[in-house]
Amino acid sequence: MPKLLVVDDEHDICDFVRNFFNERGYTVQTAGSGDEALSIVKENRPDLILLDIKMKGMDGIAVLKHIKTFDKNIKVIMVSALEDQEKMDEACRLGACNYITKPLALDNLEHAVEKMFKV
Ligand SMILES: [Mg+2]
């Protein structure tokens, strides 16, 4: 099964998303900061990352740059609020596959993730 990494500085969101995808058979790791995310990426090379844009310290855009420098084949879906449209556009230019908006709707989330693994 694909390996997911959920990156969000809100613990509740990490737990919620991890439980949701665990139940669907995915292996899920979580990170509460950009630094933590990057060390997991280097150790474990996830197939897909759900990456919060707005985080304390390193934000999602900076994390995305590092991820894509490390391995441009890792798929990244950005997660943010609607008002961050400019950041979303920047993320697309940097190679993010897609984005989903908060508050997270489970069917959107599932659809966005499954779409990444369709042959
Ligand atoms: Mg956040």
Side-chain angles (χ1 to χ4, degrees):
M1 263 321 245
K3 284 190 286 185
L4 300 190
L5 172 62
V6 181
V7 187
D8 201 303
D9 58 351
E10 291 170 69
H11 259 285
D12 291 353
I13 290 182
C14 285
D15 288 348
F16 172 74
V17 176
R18 180 179 52 211
N19 291 340
F20 181 75
F21 284 105
N22 271 343
E23 283 168 12
R24 280 153 186 79
Y26 292 84
T27 300
V28 188
Q29 287 187 287
T30 62
S33 71
D35 287 321
E36 196 185 342
L38 291 174
S39 54
I40 291 173
V41 166
K42 284 169 191 165
E43 275 168 35
N44 224 337
R45 208 177 282 258
D47 301 298
L48 174 63
I49 302 174
L50 293 169
L51 178 57
D52 184 29
I53 287 189
K54 201 170 178 182
M55 293 189 289
K56 288 180 216 101
M58 204 190 308
D59 75 354
I61 297 293
V63 178
L64 175 64
K65 283 182 193 165
H66 285 290
I67 291 166
K68 288 292 176 180
T69 303
F70 176 69
D71 183 347
K72 65 175 171 31
N73 296 316
I74 297 176
K75 297 176 174 73
V76 182
I77 297 175
M78 305 306 288
V79 179
S80 197
L82 278 174
E83 59 264 30
D84 284 335
Q85 190 59 51
E86 249 176 57
K87 296 256 183 187
M88 298 293 199
D89 293 342
E90 190 182 357
C92 284
R93 285 196 298 275
L94 291 167
C97 302
N98 199 354
Y99 64 86
I100 49 181
T101 53
K102 287 179 180 175
L104 294 173
L106 290 176
D107 50 349
N108 283 350
L109 191 63
E110 186 171 24
H111 182 71
V113 168
E114 282 182 347
K115 212 166 73 174
M116 291 296 134
F117 296 112
K118 277 204 186 118
V119 183

